[in-house]
Amino acid sequence: MALETETDSIVQQFEYSDNDVNKAVKEFLRQADEGLEKDGTSLSQIPTYVTAVPNGTEKGLYMAVDLGGTNFRVCSIQLLGDGTFSHTYNKVAVPKNLMVAKKAEDLFAFLAQEIKKFLEEHHSEDFEHHIRRRMTVSSPDGFRDEHIFRMGFTFSFPVKQVGINKGTLIRWTKGFDIPDAIDKDVCALLQAEIDKLHLPIKVAALVNDTVGTLMARSYAAPGKNGSVLGAIFGTGTNGAYVEKLSKLKKPLAGDYDQSTGEMVINTEWGSFDNQLNVLPTTKWDASLEKDSLNPGFQMYEKRVSGMFLGEILRLVVVELLNNPEVSFFKDENSSSNDRGSVTIISRDSGLFKQWGLDTAIMSTAELDQDPELTGLRQALENNLHVYAPAYEDALAFKKVAHAIGRRAARLSAVAIGAIVLQTGKLNDKDVTEEDPIDIGVDGSLVEHYPGFRPMIYEALRAIDGIGEEGAKRIRIGLTQDGSGVGAALIALVAAGMEKNANAEYIGELRSTSKAAAATDGSADEKATNSD
Ligand code: BGC
């Protein structure tokens, strides 16, 4: 009984009411406007220099790489011009020692090596073409070490972008920490390492994963009005949306095409409300914060994204374990364990280590509707080494996990709802009632956490200015190709922007590569990015 009462009181502390949601939406809109006006605000509102979303007719062969979490992905993408594409990719885990390396070069040299391996494996002919061309083709400026591939670099950390392929790192997130890279141009860092290996690649575009998601969504599912928002709810969280240039008041450093009157803005909403004006803070949020790598930053992300939800749950569980008033995973009273065996927590259980509870178990808990919670109890044994957990304990675990996940989903609705209101599309006379307000999302939470999207919708319906009717018009669709196709599309935009006297020369090289790639269909497969 004591456990049940204690659990209910914990669940209560993660409640996030409709009223809270509305208050937060107002504050989000205020901080969003502030970010459009000046630099240095908590919601960074970073201009991306991307001024249009695709319509599905784009074509060509591009490369894309993706660094943003536990894995580094390298791919080549053939855009087929009809909203479809073919895709070849390699994926490798980023070694932990490079995530917290001394020098930026250590990490970027590793990335370049992986790109080299990919080219050797999947585009070996391009190497030869490249070398041959260099020997035989001249440009107006003489022989040139011309690059064949335009590459989109998906780099999913806060970057101050100053051009389509230029941007300095503001800070690391998601467990990376290489102080040497701060304030450096990450495209230049990667290009330098690529050049050391003499690879035929130009880093043509710097892409946040949310921007890639927005582009990929617009390419594959173009509506009359395109998509308005690309968002990630995975290891980290963030969103990029299409904003009117007239609302972007802060000065822009680089060149960009003004003809569309719009620009994609990377909100970096992970840092929404770093000042904690409206975000909910339980004692477990405070404890996570105290021991985090970046205290004071990414305050919204720390309550919403996959990297942190498991840790919040772990902190609650540890508190329950240490509470002498309740019996939790202790089995002082073995008769309360329907399995009739003693509950034992192994000393090596992840429960006793920071980050030791993988958020994935929250999905298992949510999914398990079995009257005996068999699946969850199995997962507690297999993943957390809690042997023979009682039903009551598993139920308490499930309730707390649900409360944390539900708060995260409702907080996610704050950002989504605020951006929908910011775009003004619900009241735009050119957008008819039948036109969906289209949003592309990616990441482990939206992909794997049962009921995450329905919980988002429930909160959207409660937002003033959206309501039942507005929520019906908002279409949130899973879009998993942001870091590949999305990045390729931006590389394509970038290639169009290059004032290159040599355009035809590059075009010729590219069609050669295209022909080579067309014969290399063996490794084509669909991406499964679960970061
Ligand atoms: C980063 C964003 C990124 C998001 C999702 C955050 O930690 O700051 O740039 O878009 O994670 O990957």
Side-chain angles (χ1 to χ4, degrees):
M1 202 53 193
L3 176 60
E4 202 179 327
T5 315
E6 193 57 33
T7 307
D8 291 347
S9 134
I10 292 167
V11 165
Q12 193 65 38
Q13 297 178 60
F14 286 100
E15 272 299 313
Y16 195 62
S17 70
D18 290 352
N19 204 13
D20 296 333
V21 170
N22 274 298
K23 246 171 64 192
V25 167
K26 283 202 187 77
E27 180 65 7
F28 193 107
L29 288 168
R30 191 192 69 73
Q31 294 187 19
D33 273 344
E34 193 179 50
L36 291 172
E37 270 162 29
K38 53 181 191 234
D39 283 332
T41 58
S42 72
L43 205 59
S44 301
Q45 299 282 67
I46 300 167
T48 62
Y49 296 81
V50 176
T51 55
V53 294
N55 60 18
T57 60
E58 294 76 8
K59 281 187 184 168
L61 177 69
Y62 292 89
M63 278 202 63
V65 292
D66 175 20
L67 180 75
T70 38
N71 294 312
F72 178 59
R73 298 204 318 156
V74 187
C75 37
S76 56
I77 296 107
Q78 184 81 54
L79 299 170
L80 299 171
D82 57 358
T84 67
F85 58 92
S86 65
H87 194 170
T88 306
Y89 80 96
N90 282 2
K91 179 160 127 179
V92 58
V94 181
K96 287 260 180 305
N97 64 319
L98 296 184
M99 290 167 74
V100 291
K102 274 237 164 60
K103 299 186 67 191
E105 199 183 318
D106 299 342
L107 174 66
F108 285 86
F110 166 80
L111 305 186
Q113 278 298 345
E114 290 302 318
I115 296 170
K116 179 169 185 236
K117 278 191 216 159
F118 176 86
L119 286 178
E120 283 168 354
E121 198 177 321
H122 300 295
H123 295 278
S124 56
E125 288 178 43
D126 290 325
F127 266 130
E128 285 154 32
H129 280 295
H130 175 62
I131 304 299
R132 268 207 303 279
R133 290 272 155 184
R134 279 180 60 196
M135 308 307 292
T136 55
V137 180
S138 69
S139 73
D141 308 336
F143 291 104
R144 291 166 66 112
D145 187 3
E146 208 34 275
H147 303 281
I148 294 177
F149 283 114
R150 265 34 192 170
M151 188 173 84
F153 179 20
T154 303
F155 182 78
S156 302
F157 301 93
V159 161
K160 181 170 167 47
Q161 205 155 347
V162 290
I164 199 138
N165 70 345
K166 242 191 210 76
T168 53
L169 178 62
I170 300 172
R171 63 177 169 275
W172 290 104
T173 60
K174 297 177 283 197
F176 281 70
D177 189 20
I178 311 170
D180 174 48
I182 304 289
D183 290 334
K184 291 195 176 145
D185 176 1
V186 292
C187 285
L189 287 174
L190 182 58
Q191 189 71 61
E193 298 304 321
I194 285 173
D195 291 347
K196 280 186 201 162
L197 300 178
H198 307 289
L199 306 180
I201 285 178
K202 171 172 178 171
V203 183
L206 177 59
V207 185
N208 186 269
D209 51 358
T210 56
V211 184
T213 299
L214 175 61
M215 301 299 269
R217 176 83 186 167
S218 286
Y219 178 73
K224 195 174 106 227
N225 301 292
S227 299
V228 295
L229 169 66
I232 305 285
F233 297 98
T235 309
T237 183
N238 187 16
Y241 74 105
V242 186
E243 183 57 283
K244 292 183 193 67
L245 279 174
S246 58
K247 287 206 201 155
L248 184 54
K249 303 271 164 49
K250 57 187 173 191
L252 293 192
D255 289 339
Y256 59 96
D257 169 16
Q258 305 205 2
S259 65
T260 62
E262 295 179 331
M263 185 178 283
V264 175
I265 300 291
N266 167 14
T267 64
E268 282 297 335
W269 72 37
S271 263
F272 162 56
D273 200 26
N274 280 343
Q275 53 276 65
L276 296 184
N277 288 342
V278 291
L279 285 177
T281 303
T282 64
K283 58 179 159 177
W284 304 287
D285 295 303
S287 160
L288 179 145
E289 179 58 20
K290 187 169 61 59
D291 294 330
S292 72
L293 268 180
N294 51 359
F297 291 97
Q298 305 295 107
M299 298 305 243
Y300 175 78
E301 179 164 274
K302 285 171 181 160
R303 286 149 179 79
V304 168
S305 79
M307 168 148 183
F308 302 97
L309 298 188
E311 180 64 5
I312 299 176
L313 176 59
R314 189 187 73 83
L315 292 167
V316 176
V317 167
V318 167
E319 185 178 301
L320 279 174
L321 284 174
N322 291 334
N323 184 343
E325 308 286 313
V326 299
S327 166
F328 180 65
F329 289 156
K330 277 197 191 91
D331 212 339
E332 275 152 6
N333 175 9
S334 277
S335 65
S336 74
N337 187 341
D338 57 319
R339 291 186 182 178
S341 47
V342 178
T343 305
I344 294 171
I345 309 181
S346 163
R347 244 187 262 150
D348 72 353
S349 168
L351 288 175
F352 304 124
K353 291 178 213 108
Q354 192 190 24
W355 311 118
L357 190 154
D358 188 333
T359 302
I361 200 172
M362 294 174 66
S363 298
T364 312
E366 192 72 18
L367 199 63
D368 194 351
Q369 299 302 330
D370 179 83
E372 296 187 339
L373 295 178
T374 315
L376 174 57
R377 289 160 84 183
Q378 194 75 59
L380 287 166
E381 292 206 354
N382 294 344
N383 306 348
L384 288 175
H385 303 169
V386 177
Y387 299 107
Y391 167 78
E392 287 79 1
D393 297 349
L395 184 64
F397 186 93
K398 180 178 162 85
K399 281 187 186 167
V400 175
H402 175 75
I404 295 169
R406 183 175 161 78
R407 187 186 72 166
R410 292 176 69 79
L411 278 166
S412 305
V414 167
I416 294 177
I419 294 294
V420 168
L421 292 174
Q422 174 79 7
T423 64
K425 293 278 183 204
L426 284 172
N427 299 318
D428 185 336
K429 283 185 223 62
D430 294 336
V431 182
T432 66
E433 295 273 308
E434 291 74 51
D435 291 326
I437 315 289
D438 191 75
I439 293 171
V441 291
D442 192 8
S444 44
L445 286 174
V446 277
E447 194 187 353
H448 301 302
Y449 194 98
F452 202 77
R453 260 184 290 173
M455 288 192 285
I456 291 179
Y457 271 109
E458 186 194 314
L460 285 175
R461 286 194 286 274
I463 295 177
D464 299 340
I466 296 181
E468 291 279 342
E469 289 311 306
K472 270 191 214 147
R473 293 178 56 200
I474 298 173
R475 181 174 69 189
I476 303 177
L478 200 60
T479 304
Q480 300 198 283
D481 307 305
S483 57
V485 180
L489 285 158
I490 301 174
L492 179 148
V493 171
M497 283 167 67
E498 284 172 21
K499 298 180 193 78
N500 197 329
N502 249 0
E504 277 180 27
Y505 169 80
I506 291 171
E508 189 192 337
L509 287 178
R510 200 178 289 132
S511 52
T512 316
S513 322
K514 206 159 143 182
T519 58
D520 173 45
S522 56
D524 282 6
E525 44 181 305
K526 193 91 179 62
T528 49
N529 182 8
S530 61
D531 252 349

